[in-house]
Amino acid sequence: MATTAPEPTDPAAREFVTHGRIDVEGRLVDASNVTLFCAIELDGVTGRVVYKPVSGERPLWDFPDGTLAGREVATAMIADRSGLGAIPPTVLRDGPFGPGMVQLWVETAEEDELVDVCAPDEVPEGWRTVLHAHDRLGEPAVLVHADHPGMRELAVLDVVVNNTDRKGGHLLAGTDGRVYGVDHGICLHTDPKLRTVLWGWIGEPLGAETAEKLRKLRSDLDGQLGAALGEHLTTFEIRALEQRTDFLLAEAVFPEPGDDWRAIPWPLF
């Protein structure tokens, strides 16, 4: 009898995602690049994964090097080694349409919203306000997000990897209580391009635990992690990653958006 897939935090999940047999079941049509929903099976264990074949990537003029799949894997490697944020087990492997990114599917608690646009007097208690604006009818509206420890760590990770597209829909409330970040194909550019909905902690201290994770990351970048990232990133991109980590350690606070680029993605979700 088949058993269900390991949880994302289970060490066995990586083996499962790396070596399981993949069968395509459908396509996620809202994605910019080919994104396939697949069944996976290994030794009687069954589950679901997302598969993004390199052959289905649309070329981006400002990300000419490597692949988007490689950038997703590189971001997951950084999160795994540093402990900054939760990303489902993510690997680069062959699939039905050639090499691509394969990531364990995360079961979500649909009733748990993490990011919202609402009227100023309807902000959930304890949530963080990111932006004041007006809706299409001219009524006041605010962009807000939950004040969740997992999202706070993903906000730090976004700065480190220079995430160009952290939409609200890229944050998943797992049924295990963790918040998972997905869709990291346009990260790790050398130029400042941070666009995220997670600006709710601007100016606040990173804290000792986060600083320790950043120090571990910085040390690993000078060792095995830096060497492993060379499979997916250019030397200049790895150097820029080191510089962003150094900057966060020196400043020790959540940074403000820059003035020379749009700091929030569109659409928001």
Side-chain angles (χ1 to χ4, degrees):
M1 179 179 295
T3 57
T4 56
E7 294 294 321
T9 55
D10 188 333
R14 178 165 297 278
E15 179 79 6
F16 179 67
V17 172
T18 301
H19 297 292
R21 188 190 75 245
I22 295 173
D23 294 306
V24 176
E25 294 191 335
R27 179 173 178 178
L28 304 180
V29 296
D30 291 337
S32 300
N33 298 280
V34 174
T35 302
L36 303 173
F37 178 70
C38 304
I40 186 170
E41 186 272 334
L42 180 67
D43 297 332
V45 178
T46 61
R48 298 290 184 270
V49 293
V50 172
Y51 165 48
K52 298 181 182 180
V54 172
S55 60
E57 295 181 1
R58 296 191 306 173
L60 297 175
W61 67 268
D62 55 342
F63 283 85
D65 299 306
T67 65
L68 305 187
R71 293 179 185 278
E72 292 226 41
V73 172
T75 300
M77 291 167 61
I78 293 164
D80 289 345
R81 292 292 290 271
S82 67
L84 285 170
I87 296 178
T90 305
V91 300
L92 189 67
R93 55 162 288 185
D94 281 331
F97 298 102
M101 189 277 311
V102 177
Q103 185 176 79
L104 188 68
W105 180 266
V106 173
E107 296 299 331
T108 59
E110 295 183 0
E111 70 278 4
D112 291 342
E113 292 186 349
L114 298 171
V115 181
D116 197 11
V117 175
C118 60
D121 59 355
E122 296 177 354
V123 177
E125 184 177 356
W127 279 40
R128 300 280 181 143
T129 298
V130 174
L131 178 69
H132 292 266
H134 291 84
D135 65 18
R136 59 187 178 86
L137 301 177
E139 296 296 324
V142 289
L143 171 64
V144 294
H145 63 68
D147 189 1
H148 188 287
M151 293 176 68
R152 189 180 185 277
E153 286 209 340
L154 284 169
V156 179
L157 179 68
D158 283 350
V159 178
V160 169
V161 302
N162 198 17
N163 193 344
T164 308
D165 194 37
R166 174 67 79 198
K167 293 182 171 69
H170 299 168
L171 298 159
L172 307 179
T175 54
D176 59 1
R178 304 184 86 194
V179 174
Y180 292 91
V182 297
D183 286 322
H184 299 104
I186 48 176
C187 291
L188 295 158
H189 201 284
T190 55
D191 299 335
K193 289 178 175 287
L194 179 61
R195 284 193 286 267
T196 176
V197 296
L198 297 178
W199 288 112
W201 297 277
I202 290 174
E204 294 188 12
L206 296 177
E209 183 177 347
T210 298
E212 182 58 33
K213 292 179 179 181
L214 287 168
R215 282 191 288 270
K216 181 181 186 305
L217 171 61
R218 187 63 183 85
S219 176
D220 287 347
L221 288 173
D222 287 331
Q224 291 183 345
L225 177 59
L229 289 173
E231 180 180 348
H232 308 294
L233 305 174
T234 68
T235 299
F236 295 109
E237 287 168 338
I238 296 172
R239 187 175 302 163
L241 168 63
E242 294 170 350
Q243 291 170 347
R244 289 190 298 269
T245 306
D246 288 338
F247 171 81
L248 271 182
L249 282 168
E251 297 294 317
V253 298
F254 284 87
E256 296 181 359
D259 295 327
D260 50 352
W261 74 91
R262 177 167 51 87
I264 295 177
W266 189 263
L268 298 171
F269 297 92

